[in-house]
């Protein structure tokens, strides 16, 4: 029996934490609304960061930011290593993305989210030294069937067989980037369709792992922080995620090695997040396939959120109405 087996329950994140975290993602999403379609992604992100951090400060937990805003957004707050929460309650690793899809928000496009992921302290892989990761995500049918090292066509045929579908009925989510031109051609050559994402591959990965969506697989190179966040959700959904670090040059590769990351190595879900008690919380900023965006409806502001917890294997959807006057007063 390990120390963690005998530790008091309050040392670990419990079910009440999820509802507290939703308040933070709701706040970030609401504060981002005035910037939707205004072309200023930094202003949108800044407003969301301020709101999320303020609400996290009231939550009953001792969180350490493992995946934060960091260097990518030159953020002064919610940086890697920052402590958040009131310092009481469970000790946790936390990954935050006040807006996953700042460009989407600025352009007024779909699928922008405010996201928080949490796990037991010391269980999240700190992949911040290498910004990109090659990833593949599927639902439970992909476990033991799909392998990121195999050609995409082979993976598609194997997954289609496991799901009892024709390859022609398969849809693969891929970030629409020049680096993925050959991958997209290979997916289409195999007979499958593509869902090209302008940004925000967290939503793409989660939709690939969920059973009721039209997305069967999410593949390609995206942010490694987003990979860790997605892994927290995938563990709750029982799906498959694999990742390989994709440093942009030899300098970043060595930086990753110095930080303890393995290169040319396939990270499985339990290595990205080594905890069976993960939380994933997301509130829609703009409408998308995972959740609807924030809506102003007369005197109220309506938010839509999703909460995933791996320990209980539950998916909860939360619709909240906020008095607009309360937000305008602040």
């Amino acid at each position: 029996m390990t120390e963690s087996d005998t530790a008091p329950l309050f040392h670990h994140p419990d079910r009440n934490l999820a509802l507290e975290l939703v308040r933070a993602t709701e706040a970030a999403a609401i504060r981002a609304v005035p910037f939707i379609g205004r072309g200023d992604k930094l202003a949108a992100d800044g407003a969301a960061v301020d709101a999320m951090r303020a609400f996290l400060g009231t939550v009953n937990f001792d969180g350490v930011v493992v995946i934060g805003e960091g260097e990518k957004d030159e953020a002064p707050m919610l940086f890697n290593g920052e402590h958040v929460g009131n310092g009481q309650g469970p000790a946790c690793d936390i990954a935050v993305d006040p807006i996953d899809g700042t460009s989407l928000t600025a352009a007024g496009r779909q699928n922008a989210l405010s996201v928080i992921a949490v796990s037991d302290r010391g269980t999240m892989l700190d992949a911040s030294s290498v910004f990109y990761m090659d990833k593949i995500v599927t639902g439970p049918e992909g476990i033991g069937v799909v392998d990121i090292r195999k050609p995409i066509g082979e993976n598609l045929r194997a997954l289609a067989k496991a799901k009892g579908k024709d390859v022609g009925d398969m849809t693969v989510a891929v970030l629409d980037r020049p680096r993925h031109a050959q991958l997209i051609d290979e997916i289409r050559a195999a007979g499958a369709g593509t869902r090209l994402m302008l940004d925000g591959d967290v939503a793409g990965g989660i939709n690939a792992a969920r059973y009721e969506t039209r997305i069967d697989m999410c593949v390609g190179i995206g942010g490694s922080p987003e990979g860790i966040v997605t892994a927290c959700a995938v563990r709750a959904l029982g799906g498959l995620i694999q990742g390989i670090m994709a440093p942009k040059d030899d300098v970043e590769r060595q930086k990753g090695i110095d930080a303890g990351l393995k290169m040319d190595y396939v990270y499985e879900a339990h290595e990205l997040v080594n905890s069976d008690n993960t939380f994933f919380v997301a509130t829609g900023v703009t409408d998308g396939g995972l959740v609807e965006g924030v809506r102003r409806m007369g005197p109220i502001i309506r938010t839509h959120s999703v909460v995933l917890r791996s320990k209980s294997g539950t998916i909860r959807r939360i619709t909240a109405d906020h008095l607009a006057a309360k937000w305008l007063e602040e």
Side-chain angles (χ1 to χ4, degrees):
M1 182 174 292
T2 66
E3 182 180 348
S4 60
D5 294 325
T6 59
L9 183 61
F10 65 80
H11 284 177
H12 305 283
D14 66 18
R15 68 193 69 180
N16 297 320
L17 180 58
L19 297 180
E20 291 295 304
L21 296 173
V22 167
R23 294 170 59 235
T25 56
E26 288 172 345
I30 289 171
R31 288 302 191 201
V33 168
F35 301 95
I36 293 175
R38 299 304 177 96
D40 191 343
K41 68 177 186 179
L42 293 180
D45 195 53
V49 168
D50 289 344
M52 178 175 283
R53 188 172 186 272
F55 272 79
L56 282 176
T58 70
V59 176
N60 187 43
F61 78 136
D62 177 15
V64 172
V65 177
V66 176
I67 303 294
E69 291 290 273
E71 298 176 1
K72 71 182 179 74
D73 292 318
E74 299 181 355
M77 296 188 296
L78 293 178
F79 53 84
N80 292 8
E82 181 178 358
H83 280 258
V84 293
N86 63 11
Q88 303 175 23
C92 306
D93 284 350
I94 180 169
V96 299
D97 201 343
I99 303 181
D100 177 44
T102 52
S103 296
L104 300 177
T105 302
R109 295 192 175 107
Q110 293 190 333
N111 288 314
L113 301 169
S114 178
V115 173
I116 294 175
V118 169
S119 65
D120 295 305
R121 175 67 55 81
T123 58
M124 276 188 195
L125 180 70
D126 182 354
S128 58
S129 56
V130 176
F131 187 69
Y132 286 110
M133 178 190 294
D134 193 5
K135 294 167 277 191
I136 187 167
V137 185
T138 75
E141 301 90 348
I143 296 174
V145 171
V146 166
D147 190 317
I148 194 171
R149 291 162 290 200
K150 294 179 180 178
I152 187 64
E154 185 176 339
N155 277 328
L156 277 168
R157 289 185 289 272
L159 184 61
K161 181 177 180 181
K163 298 185 76 167
K165 299 174 66 172
D166 292 330
V167 174
D169 294 327
M170 301 284 282
T171 301
V172 183
V174 190
L175 280 172
D176 189 7
R177 300 288 188 272
R179 62 178 177 266
H180 290 149
Q182 182 177 344
L183 176 62
I184 291 167
D185 288 343
E186 291 174 356
I187 291 169
R188 293 170 177 170
T194 55
R195 179 73 58 86
L196 300 183
M197 303 177 292
L198 294 173
D199 205 349
D201 65 342
V202 171
I206 293 171
N207 282 329
R210 293 167 60 217
Y211 70 88
E212 77 268 45
T213 72
R214 296 179 181 178
I215 305 298
D216 298 285
M217 182 186 293
C218 184
V219 297
I221 296 173
S224 55
E226 287 81 358
I228 307 303
V229 171
T230 304
C232 287
V234 169
R235 295 215 62 177
L237 294 166
L240 171 137
I241 180 169
Q242 294 177 326
I244 300 174
M245 296 300 159
K248 63 180 181 294
D249 53 34
D250 289 341
V251 173
E252 190 178 53
R253 181 184 179 89
Q254 188 59 51
K255 185 179 177 182
I257 292 171
D258 293 342
L261 294 176
K262 302 175 184 177
M263 301 296 141
D264 308 313
Y265 175 83
V266 178
Y267 282 93
E268 304 287 348
H270 70 278
E271 295 171 299
L272 296 172
V273 185
N274 187 24
S275 171
D276 64 356
N277 191 27
T278 64
F279 291 85
F280 173 88
V281 178
T283 299
V285 177
T286 59
D287 286 345
L290 184 62
V291 283
E292 294 179 25
V294 179
R295 280 173 169 70
R296 175 70 184 267
M297 305 170 66
I300 69 167
I301 298 171
R302 178 166 292 172
T303 57
H304 299 268
S305 305
V306 62
V307 178
L308 311 178
R309 188 185 183 208
S310 63
K311 193 173 185 68
S312 56
T314 51
I315 305 173
R316 289 185 170 87
R317 294 189 174 275
I318 299 173
T319 300
D321 288 345
H322 314 257
L323 282 176
K326 296 289 187 181
W327 287 89
L328 294 174
E329 289 172 2
E330 296 178 3

